[in-house]
Amino acid sequence: MTPSAILESALYVTDLQAAEQFYSDVLGLDPLGKVEGRHVFFRCGNGVLLLFNAEATKIPPAPDARLKVPPHGTVGEGHLCFTASADEIVEWRRHLAARNIAIESDFEWPQGGHSIYIRDPSGNSIEFAEPRIWGL
């Protein structure tokens, strides 16, 4: 057996409200679900981006919980890469500059393809890249 795709990806944030605003207002993602102080979820193409307050996800579910999601979380800055065509990367540069969001890195990969990197309000490394950086 081999998984066919990644359904959801998670980032852990230090300020859930600032993260929600960034991912909805700056990146244009549509909210899918929210539990105040714990998480906010966004639709992204055929997948879902989960943003968690890391401290809240360390707490195990109650024995009688309806959803028995085990504790999880991480500390420090994570990474997530969004798919973007070469033309979309040009547009992302303009979009981000108009919102005073610094591009931390902008380069061509040796095997082909372009990436730009920014930081979200919690310091997570967010990349926009052409799929061909992975031969896709």
Side-chain angles (χ1 to χ4, degrees):
M1 294 293 300
T2 302
S4 61
I6 294 173
L7 177 61
E8 58 189 39
S9 295
L11 287 175
Y12 296 87
V13 299
T14 54
D15 183 333
L16 200 54
Q17 185 175 356
E20 180 178 9
Q21 183 177 358
F22 177 83
Y23 285 91
S24 61
D25 296 350
V26 176
L27 299 190
L29 296 179
D30 294 324
L32 191 59
K34 178 179 178 177
V35 170
E36 202 66 47
R38 185 179 189 283
H39 66 254
V40 61
F41 300 158
F42 293 94
R43 167 99 41 227
C44 184
N46 291 327
V48 177
L49 172 60
L50 312 173
L51 299 180
F52 288 107
N53 170 345
E55 291 303 311
T57 63
K58 292 178 182 177
I59 302 166
D64 61 344
R66 186 174 63 85
L67 300 173
K68 298 193 183 297
V69 177
H72 55 84
T74 187
V75 176
E77 299 156 348
H79 172 71
L80 184 70
C81 180
F82 293 105
T83 297
S85 69
D87 290 340
E88 289 170 332
I89 290 173
V90 170
E91 291 304 313
W92 276 114
R93 272 195 211 98
R94 286 188 196 127
H95 178 79
L96 296 165
R99 285 155 182 78
N100 295 317
I101 296 171
I103 293 176
E104 184 175 37
S105 189
D106 182 340
F107 63 91
E108 286 285 329
W109 288 90
Q111 69 274 24
H114 202 97
S115 285
I116 59 173
Y117 291 78
I118 62 172
R119 294 282 170 172
D120 77 3
S122 294
N124 290 303
S125 175
I126 306 302
E127 178 183 8
F128 298 86
E130 292 179 83
R132 64 189 179 124
I133 69 170
W134 290 108
L136 303 174

